[in-house]
Amino acid sequence: MRYIIIGAGAVGGTIGGRLAESGRDVVLVARGAHLETLRRDGLRLLTPDSDLYSPPTPRLPIPAVAGPRELGELRRDDVLVLCVKSQDTAGVLNQWAQAPVAGGGTAAELLPVVCAQNGVENERTALRLFQNVYGLCVWLPSVHLEPGVVAANCTPQSGILTVGRYPDGVDDVIKQIGHDLGESRFDAPVVDDVMRWKYGKLLSNLGNAVEAVGDVAADDDLAERLIEACRQEGIRVLNAAGIPFVGSAERQAVQGDRMDFVEIAAVPRGGGSSWQSLARGTGSIETDYLSGEISLIGRTHGVPTPVNALMQRLSAVFAAEGRAPGSLALTELAALVEQAQESVS
């Protein structure tokens, strides 16, 4: 298999870098200064292990392209691994769907697409175009703030990447993908209910918006209470909708001691994926597919979601106005949350 990593940021760069280190055939897809640096210098993948050594970690000479046209005909053993933010999924998939495959046919008809993304809408979006869609639940603390560089903070495994066919099931393709990831410093359980894992991850990602807009370092306890308010709304919504999800105890049992978070001195981790979007000034943020997903399901089933709706709105304002991550006083955010809750009580 050749892995085409579409979106070689924090998650995609780590997955692609680890696969390349284990001898797999990899192509990275990126844009802007990141693409230019990857083409010129290769990828520098920082990990807790590599951070211990001098000289610095050598760069990985992985081929990098801007899109399908640069690759010409795709190979029949290609795997498209989608690692872009959810707000970019539809546009990116449209670019790749009609790409020709050697021997006849298109990517949408013949190639597997693996959604290695937060949220639960990407697989459904992909299935509108692609015949063979797979989900990947991402537990992979990582950072991408500098062109050509990504950092993965966990050891001994870089992450846990639970995979399965969408909407459910297991086949030989996903078994091989799980095997390759398992030989590349990941745990990659192959399951027949991958969306149950992704809905569980969605609940954890509801804290992303709090971290992105609020000064969470000011008061750990208050920050945790605000995040828990988002999560409890999410649990009520999923239960009302009858959507199964993996709880924190089941996830912790799988994780065990496989992923110990370690700070990497060369690349301090300021926050998660939404925080990093604001830090890079991308102008967009994925909260519509995290907090907004809970709001959507809540409205569908008549369950109020004032806290997640608030966090969705605040995140959109921060992204549109280019505000710095964490620049809202936590006490002010807490007051806004309280007002939102009181408005539906």
Side-chain angles (χ1 to χ4, degrees), residues 19-330:
L19 284 167
E21 285 179 336
S22 71
R24 270 65 186 184
D25 198 355
V26 176
V27 175
L28 301 177
V29 181
R31 59 188 178 183
H34 188 42
L35 173 60
E36 294 174 7
T37 304
L38 290 172
R39 283 173 164 165
R40 184 183 65 246
D41 302 327
L43 173 70
R44 187 177 182 204
L45 174 59
L46 296 172
T47 69
D49 299 329
S50 64
D51 201 37
L52 298 174
Y53 300 108
S54 183
T57 309
R59 292 182 178 266
L60 298 166
I62 305 172
V65 300
R69 290 185 180 180
E70 293 184 36
L71 289 174
E73 281 192 329
L74 300 178
R75 295 173 9 186
R76 299 184 81 85
D77 67 342
D78 280 340
V79 177
L80 307 182
V81 184
L82 195 62
C83 300
V84 299
K85 295 295 193 297
S86 297
Q87 65 268 27
D88 298 322
T89 292
V92 168
L93 288 176
N94 276 303
Q95 292 177 9
W96 288 85
Q98 299 308 313
V101 178
T106 65
E109 294 171 311
L110 298 172
L111 300 185
V113 57
V114 181
C115 297
Q117 301 158 286
N118 289 330
V120 295
E121 181 63 19
N122 299 290
E123 289 80 3
R124 186 169 181 266
T125 300
L127 202 59
R128 290 183 184 276
L129 296 174
F130 282 77
Q131 181 70 28
N132 298 295
V133 177
Y134 301 85
L136 186 155
C137 182
V138 180
W139 289 100
L140 176 52
S142 51
V143 179
H144 165 56
L145 296 175
E146 176 186 345
V149 180
V150 297
N153 291 87
C154 285
T155 187
Q157 302 290 68
S158 288
I160 297 179
L161 309 178
T162 304
V163 295
R165 189 173 177 90
Y166 178 80
D168 52 44
V170 170
D171 61 17
D172 289 342
V173 170
I174 200 61
K175 288 179 182 177
Q176 183 62 53
I177 293 170
H179 171 79
D180 290 349
L181 291 171
E183 292 193 343
S184 305
R185 298 295 292 272
F186 299 108
D187 269 9
V190 179
V191 300
D192 61 7
D193 59 350
V194 69
M195 295 311 293
R196 188 172 71 92
W197 290 87
K198 296 202 75 167
Y199 274 102
K201 179 68 187 313
L202 172 64
L203 292 176
S204 294
N205 286 136
L206 297 180
N208 286 23
V210 176
E211 178 189 59
V213 305
D215 181 15
V216 294
D219 188 331
D220 290 344
D221 290 339
L222 179 55
E224 186 55 41
R225 290 199 297 273
L226 297 178
I227 291 170
E228 186 62 17
C230 295
R231 184 174 173 274
Q232 287 302 318
E233 273 189 2
I235 290 173
R236 288 195 293 273
V237 163
L238 296 187
N239 284 337
I243 297 173
F245 58 89
V246 169
S248 56
E250 184 175 358
R251 183 188 67 80
Q252 286 291 343
V254 171
Q255 178 175 327
D257 59 357
R258 297 173 181 86
M259 288 173 55
D260 289 333
F261 185 91
V262 178
E263 291 287 354
I264 298 174
V267 185
R269 180 180 169 84
S273 57
S274 300
W275 187 97
Q276 291 175 48
S277 291
L278 293 179
R280 292 198 305 273
T282 62
S284 68
I285 197 165
E286 63 186 338
T287 318
D288 283 349
Y289 297 91
L290 303 176
S291 305
E293 183 70 31
I294 296 302
S295 296
L296 170 61
I297 301 171
R299 291 167 188 148
T300 303
H301 293 273
V303 181
T305 60
V307 181
N308 281 284
L310 170 67
M311 298 314 306
Q312 182 183 4
R313 292 193 300 272
L314 288 175
S315 298
V317 169
F318 266 60
E321 296 181 354
R323 294 182 62 176
S327 56
L328 181 62
L330 201 61

